Short mmCIF file of all heavy atoms in Angstrom, two decimals:
data_model
loop_
_atom_site.label_atom_id
_atom_site.label_comp_id
_atom_site.label_asym_id
_atom_site.label_seq_id
_atom_site.Cartn_x
_atom_site.Cartn_y
_atom_site.Cartn_z
N ALA A 67 -92.80 77.97 -86.69
CA ALA A 67 -93.17 77.40 -87.99
C ALA A 67 -92.19 77.82 -89.10
O ALA A 67 -91.82 77.02 -89.95
CB ALA A 67 -94.58 77.83 -88.35
N GLU A 68 -91.78 79.07 -89.04
CA GLU A 68 -90.90 79.59 -90.09
C GLU A 68 -89.57 78.83 -90.10
O GLU A 68 -89.09 78.39 -91.16
CB GLU A 68 -90.67 81.08 -89.82
CG GLU A 68 -90.10 81.84 -90.97
CD GLU A 68 -89.76 83.29 -90.56
OE1 GLU A 68 -90.33 83.79 -89.57
OE2 GLU A 68 -88.90 83.89 -91.23
N THR A 69 -88.99 78.67 -88.91
CA THR A 69 -87.72 77.94 -88.81
C THR A 69 -87.92 76.47 -89.16
O THR A 69 -87.06 75.84 -89.77
CB THR A 69 -87.13 78.07 -87.38
OG1 THR A 69 -87.36 79.38 -86.92
CG2 THR A 69 -85.66 77.76 -87.37
N ALA A 70 -89.08 75.93 -88.76
CA ALA A 70 -89.38 74.53 -89.08
C ALA A 70 -89.41 74.32 -90.59
O ALA A 70 -88.90 73.33 -91.10
CB ALA A 70 -90.70 74.12 -88.45
N LEU A 71 -90.00 75.27 -91.31
CA LEU A 71 -90.06 75.16 -92.78
C LEU A 71 -88.67 75.19 -93.40
O LEU A 71 -88.35 74.41 -94.30
CB LEU A 71 -90.91 76.30 -93.36
CG LEU A 71 -92.43 76.09 -93.31
CD1 LEU A 71 -93.15 77.38 -93.70
CD2 LEU A 71 -92.85 74.95 -94.23
N GLN A 72 -87.82 76.09 -92.88
CA GLN A 72 -86.46 76.17 -93.41
C GLN A 72 -85.68 74.89 -93.13
O GLN A 72 -85.00 74.36 -94.01
CB GLN A 72 -85.71 77.36 -92.79
CG GLN A 72 -86.16 78.69 -93.37
CD GLN A 72 -85.57 79.88 -92.62
OE1 GLN A 72 -84.72 79.72 -91.75
NE2 GLN A 72 -86.05 81.06 -92.95
N ALA A 73 -85.84 74.38 -91.90
CA ALA A 73 -85.13 73.15 -91.54
C ALA A 73 -85.66 71.98 -92.37
O ALA A 73 -84.90 71.13 -92.83
CB ALA A 73 -85.29 72.88 -90.05
N ALA A 74 -86.98 71.97 -92.59
CA ALA A 74 -87.58 70.87 -93.37
C ALA A 74 -87.04 70.87 -94.79
O ALA A 74 -86.76 69.82 -95.36
CB ALA A 74 -89.10 71.01 -93.38
N ARG A 75 -86.87 72.06 -95.35
CA ARG A 75 -86.32 72.17 -96.70
C ARG A 75 -84.90 71.58 -96.73
O ARG A 75 -84.54 70.83 -97.62
CB ARG A 75 -86.29 73.65 -97.10
CG ARG A 75 -85.83 73.92 -98.52
CD ARG A 75 -85.49 75.39 -98.68
NE ARG A 75 -84.44 75.78 -97.72
CZ ARG A 75 -84.14 77.03 -97.40
NH1 ARG A 75 -84.81 78.01 -97.92
NH2 ARG A 75 -83.18 77.29 -96.53
N ASP A 76 -84.11 71.91 -95.69
CA ASP A 76 -82.73 71.43 -95.66
C ASP A 76 -82.64 69.92 -95.39
O ASP A 76 -81.79 69.24 -95.92
CB ASP A 76 -81.93 72.16 -94.57
CG ASP A 76 -81.74 73.64 -94.92
OD1 ASP A 76 -81.96 74.00 -96.09
OD2 ASP A 76 -81.38 74.41 -94.02
N VAL A 77 -83.55 69.43 -94.53
CA VAL A 77 -83.44 68.02 -94.12
C VAL A 77 -84.11 67.09 -95.13
O VAL A 77 -83.59 66.03 -95.44
CB VAL A 77 -84.05 67.81 -92.71
CG1 VAL A 77 -84.02 66.33 -92.33
CG2 VAL A 77 -83.30 68.62 -91.68
N TYR A 78 -85.27 67.50 -95.65
CA TYR A 78 -86.05 66.55 -96.44
C TYR A 78 -86.08 66.81 -97.94
O TYR A 78 -86.66 66.03 -98.68
CB TYR A 78 -87.48 66.47 -95.88
CG TYR A 78 -87.52 65.84 -94.51
CD1 TYR A 78 -87.71 66.60 -93.36
CD2 TYR A 78 -87.30 64.46 -94.36
CE1 TYR A 78 -87.70 66.01 -92.09
CE2 TYR A 78 -87.29 63.88 -93.10
CZ TYR A 78 -87.50 64.65 -91.99
OH TYR A 78 -87.47 64.06 -90.75
N THR A 79 -85.49 67.90 -98.40
CA THR A 79 -85.51 68.14 -99.86
C THR A 79 -84.14 68.56 -100.39
O THR A 79 -84.04 69.51 -101.17
CB THR A 79 -86.57 69.21 -100.24
OG1 THR A 79 -86.21 70.46 -99.62
CG2 THR A 79 -87.96 68.84 -99.79
N ARG A 80 -83.10 67.86 -99.97
CA ARG A 80 -81.74 68.23 -100.44
C ARG A 80 -81.53 67.85 -101.90
O ARG A 80 -80.59 68.28 -102.53
CB ARG A 80 -80.67 67.54 -99.59
CG ARG A 80 -80.48 68.14 -98.22
CD ARG A 80 -79.19 67.69 -97.58
NE ARG A 80 -79.07 66.25 -97.43
CZ ARG A 80 -79.75 65.53 -96.56
NH1 ARG A 80 -80.62 66.13 -95.74
NH2 ARG A 80 -79.58 64.23 -96.47
N ARG A 81 -82.39 66.95 -102.42
CA ARG A 81 -82.21 66.51 -103.81
C ARG A 81 -83.49 66.73 -104.62
O ARG A 81 -83.92 65.86 -105.36
CB ARG A 81 -81.82 65.04 -103.83
CG ARG A 81 -80.41 64.80 -103.33
CD ARG A 81 -80.06 63.34 -103.30
NE ARG A 81 -78.68 63.13 -102.92
CZ ARG A 81 -78.22 63.17 -101.67
NH1 ARG A 81 -79.05 63.44 -100.67
NH2 ARG A 81 -76.95 62.97 -101.42
N GLN A 82 -84.07 67.88 -104.44
CA GLN A 82 -85.30 68.24 -105.19
C GLN A 82 -86.42 67.23 -105.00
O GLN A 82 -87.11 66.87 -105.95
CB GLN A 82 -84.98 68.36 -106.68
CG GLN A 82 -84.06 69.53 -106.98
CD GLN A 82 -83.81 69.70 -108.45
OE1 GLN A 82 -83.20 68.83 -109.08
NE2 GLN A 82 -84.29 70.79 -109.03
#
Side-chain angles (χ1 to χ4, degrees):
Chain A
E68 195 186 338
T69 321
L71 279 170
Q72 285 172 8
R75 184 195 58 196
D76 293 344
V77 177
Y78 292 105
T79 63
R80 285 195 302 287
R81 289 178 175 79
Q82 293 183 294

